[in-house]
Amino acid sequence: MEIIRFTTVNALREAIFRMPLEQYVLIKLDDREVEFDLAFNSRLIETATDIDSTLTYCWFRERQEDGSLLDHPVNDYQPGSVRDDFDFGPLVLLNTADVLSATEDMDESYSGLLDGGWYALRLRMTMSKMIAMVPEYLYTVKRVDYRLSGEKQHDYVDPRNREYQIQMEKTLTEHLDMIGGLVSPEVEKVDYDGEEFPVEASVIIPVRNRVRTVADAVNSALDQDTLFPFNVIVVDNDSTDGTREVLEAIQDPRLVVIKVAADENLGIGGCWNRAVLSEHCGRFAVQLDSDDLYNSRSVLQAVVNKFRSGNFGMVVGSYSMIDFNGNPLPPGIIDHREWTDENGANNALRVNGFGAPRAFFTPIVRRFLFPNVSYGEDYAMCLRVSRDYAVGRIFRPLYLCRRWEGNSDAALSIEKTNANNAYKDCLRSFELLARIHSNMQSHQGPTPFLPSDIFDSLSNMPPFDPSDFFPEEDTEFDPDDDE
């Protein structure tokens, strides 16, 4: 079977027309040389034929510089796998008729996109169509990216990629409009003063085994200069390294330490729930990780001012990347300028994080609560809040994110990275379907396009092992969840 190196949508159509008519076409998405296993063609083509899949892909291996092989499994495609960086691997088998159908009304502008229109093509092809992932290693390519997971996770917010991000946002927005999944900028009203709270704001710090950093974080919070009363709620999740003793030694009446026992089985989300449901929690709950710092004494005041300036269910700031000693790290400032008031809630389905520090109007968090996991818990909450409420953004840095070897996402295996991505795709699936369902209920005209197979596919999602999201030693999270 001839391989077509994907460059643009138009070039793909022209290559298909030049080839002998085939039911499937094999597409190469990058320039790495491929070593095929003997069973590659038969397994992919037989699978695609048997189930009539529109897109078929498989696991692969990467050959390292020393000649050794590294297994590279990939995730199943879910209804919410709409992020533009979904990893299919470098090879995909596409149904030829579906390619031509999906591209029939695409104009020249799609081929002019920085990705040649691949994102738009695969979004169109996967609407209400079968996607097959064969969990077998069927080919080998050369490994070219040796960066650790912690070094790659902020690629999508690198300012050098801004034009690409704008193009991909437009592509997703058009897709969401087509399937009836767009969120309206009309939002629910928030009554900040409808009930009494013990303080105006609470800084929430979940922690487990951060004896080296927790005192810095707590003191950074206690040192805030505000015009209102606030407190700091630290939820110690059964630390065993001296963290609890460090907290007990801090003598400040504004510090509230909630001690969690091991048999409570809490992840970071569960720790957040303990804090926001506490009688000590203030009107606004503001995030701080136990190995990070606020960058000035005015952060808490700035966050509350932002809430009070508008009608926001949550407020998200910006942060600077530094090493453990405070030296700047690339890409520097993470401000998530892909967020806009008009379209941020829709674009949030494409990217892996919202930014930091994150702050919530406490009654809203108490209404929804966080999932009790240690990865993606804040992304789930942010998605849910943004469905119905406006999100206030502060684009100047408020927060110092320290990257060091103790970060829970500093050097993840491909299996752990896949597990994290699969969970976020699951969250996106639930949120996307909820938005489509809500739009259908309120829709007064013709029923918007809705891929019926999407709902069926939810029941076929791969099971999740909760242990994938509960680090045994660290239940620490980083600002974008950490992405």
Side-chain angles (χ1 to χ4, degrees):
M1 174 179 291
E2 181 179 344
I3 303 175
I4 299 177
R5 170 66 171 94
F6 182 86
T7 54
T8 70
V9 167
N10 284 345
L12 175 58
R13 284 179 60 89
E14 291 172 2
I16 290 174
F17 288 138
R18 288 195 304 266
M19 295 169 53
L21 184 61
E22 298 278 357
Q23 185 174 3
Y24 297 99
V25 57
L26 184 61
I27 305 300
K28 191 177 177 188
L29 299 176
D30 64 35
D31 291 322
R32 288 179 288 176
E33 293 185 4
V34 179
E35 305 170 34
F36 292 99
D37 288 15
L38 290 176
F40 176 84
N41 276 356
S42 60
R43 287 296 291 140
L44 256 63
I45 293 176
E46 286 176 7
T47 300
T49 303
D50 287 344
I51 65 174
D52 191 28
S53 59
T54 190
L55 186 155
T56 309
Y57 61 110
C58 64
W59 293 355
F60 61 100
R61 310 177 200 88
E62 292 183 298
R63 189 176 299 282
Q64 305 191 86
E65 290 179 343
D66 63 1
S68 62
L69 297 180
L70 179 70
D71 288 343
H72 191 121
V74 291
N75 283 338
D76 273 312
Y77 199 89
Q78 301 183 45
S81 297
V82 294
R83 52 193 168 91
D84 56 84
D85 64 349
F86 186 89
D87 182 15
F88 293 101
L91 291 174
V92 293
L93 186 73
L94 303 182
N95 182 293
T96 305
D98 290 343
V99 172
L100 297 177
S101 175
T103 58
E104 186 174 8
D105 63 345
M106 283 187 174
D107 57 33
E108 292 285 344
S109 64
Y110 286 95
S111 286
L113 297 176
L114 290 172
D115 73 337
W118 164 248
Y119 184 41
L121 172 60
R122 64 101 160 169
L123 287 178
R124 288 194 179 196
M125 288 190 64
T126 55
M127 288 193 305
S128 70
K129 295 281 189 175
M130 175 67 73
I131 304 99
M133 191 278 289
V134 180
E136 301 166 17
Y137 300 101
L138 297 177
Y139 64 96
T140 301
V141 295
K142 181 180 179 181
R143 186 179 183 186
V144 295
D145 191 345
Y146 285 86
R147 292 178 300 164
L148 298 176
S149 58
E151 298 171 314
K152 293 187 281 188
Q153 66 182 22
H154 291 100
D155 286 353
Y156 74 103
V157 287
D158 191 321
R160 292 171 295 183
N161 299 329
R162 182 70 184 124
E163 184 180 355
Y164 176 87
Q165 294 299 322
I166 292 173
Q167 292 181 359
M168 297 307 103
E169 175 180 357
K170 182 175 183 293
T171 298
L172 177 65
T173 302
E174 292 174 353
H175 173 71
L176 294 177
D177 186 38
M178 187 179 300
I179 66 174
L182 279 177
V183 172
S184 168
E186 297 178 5
V187 295
E188 293 189 20
K189 296 296 182 181
V190 179
D191 181 6
Y192 292 135
D193 299 307
E195 59 182 287
E196 296 294 323
F197 289 89
V199 291
E200 181 74 349
S202 292
V203 177
I204 309 297
I205 307 177
V207 64
R208 175 175 166 80
N209 293 340
R210 284 291 187 266
V211 68
R212 290 178 60 188
T213 61
V214 68
D216 291 341
V218 171
N219 289 329
S220 168
L222 291 173
D223 197 40
Q224 293 296 296
D225 185 11
T226 67
L227 299 175
F228 50 79
F230 73 92
N231 62 20
V232 178
I233 303 177
V234 179
V235 184
D236 178 39
N237 197 2
D238 191 45
S239 291
T240 58
D241 68 341
T243 293
R244 185 166 294 185
E245 289 74 14
V246 168
L247 294 170
E248 291 172 341
I250 299 175
Q251 300 299 310
D252 191 310
R254 297 171 299 168
L255 175 61
V256 177
V257 179
I258 298 176
K259 300 175 182 178
V260 174
D263 61 6
E264 294 184 61
N265 300 311
L266 296 189
I268 293 171
C271 290
W272 259 91
N273 293 338
R274 284 289 300 273
V276 298
L277 293 174
S278 163
E279 63 182 356
H280 304 288
C281 191
R283 193 180 317 276
F284 303 109
V286 187
Q287 167 251 336
L288 178 61
D289 290 358
S290 62
D291 52 0
D292 295 333
L293 308 165
Y294 292 141
N295 68 358
S296 74
R297 299 182 64 199
S298 63
V299 170
L300 204 55
Q301 185 69 56
V303 170
V304 172
N305 287 350
K306 184 65 179 181
F307 271 111
R308 292 291 185 177
S309 72
N311 175 56
F312 305 116
M314 59 181 284
V315 167
V316 183
S318 304
Y319 60 94
S320 301
M321 301 289 294
I322 62 172
D323 64 19
F324 195 83
N325 297 316
N327 301 308
L329 291 175
I333 295 175
I334 308 296
D335 55 15
H336 282 274
R337 288 193 178 273
E338 75 277 358
W339 179 274
T340 61
D341 291 340
E342 297 77 20
N343 200 48
N346 295 308
N347 196 34
L349 290 168
R350 183 183 62 85
V351 299
N352 262 343
F354 274 71
R358 296 171 292 274
F360 306 93
F361 180 42
T362 298
I364 293 177
V365 182
R366 287 175 172 173
R367 173 184 167 193
F368 299 140
L369 294 180
F370 289 84
N372 184 33
V373 294
S374 289
Y375 178 85
E377 74 294 327
D378 50 348
Y379 185 64
M381 178 60 73
C382 291
L383 282 178
R384 181 61 189 90
V385 173
S386 69
R387 189 198 313 171
D388 295 328
Y389 296 91
V391 177
R393 286 303 318 273
I394 300 174
F395 290 107
R396 64 181 176 86
L398 304 176
Y399 190 94
L400 299 174
C401 172
R402 291 200 284 194
R403 305 301 302 173
W404 61 300
E405 69 277 4
N407 291 137
S408 58
D409 59 354
L412 301 180
S413 66
I414 183 62
E415 291 80 11
K416 182 61 177 176
T417 298
N418 283 349
N420 288 347
N421 284 331
Y423 182 64
K424 278 193 174 178
D425 282 351
C426 180
L427 295 175
R428 292 185 185 93
S429 296
F430 294 152
E431 182 61 29
L432 176 59
L433 297 178
R435 293 178 180 192
I436 292 173
H437 181 66
S438 177
N439 289 341
M440 289 186 67
Q441 287 185 317
S442 61
H443 191 70
Q444 300 302 314
T447 302
F449 171 78
L450 180 64
S452 59
D453 290 351
I454 277 184
F455 287 99
D456 295 336
S457 64
L458 273 180
S459 61
N460 296 320
M461 281 185 180
F464 292 103
D465 182 351
S467 65
D468 287 339
F469 313 106
F470 288 79
E472 293 182 1
E473 295 299 326
D474 301 322
T475 57
E476 187 56 39
F477 61 172
D478 294 311
D480 278 324
D481 220 22
D482 307 305
E483 191 102 20

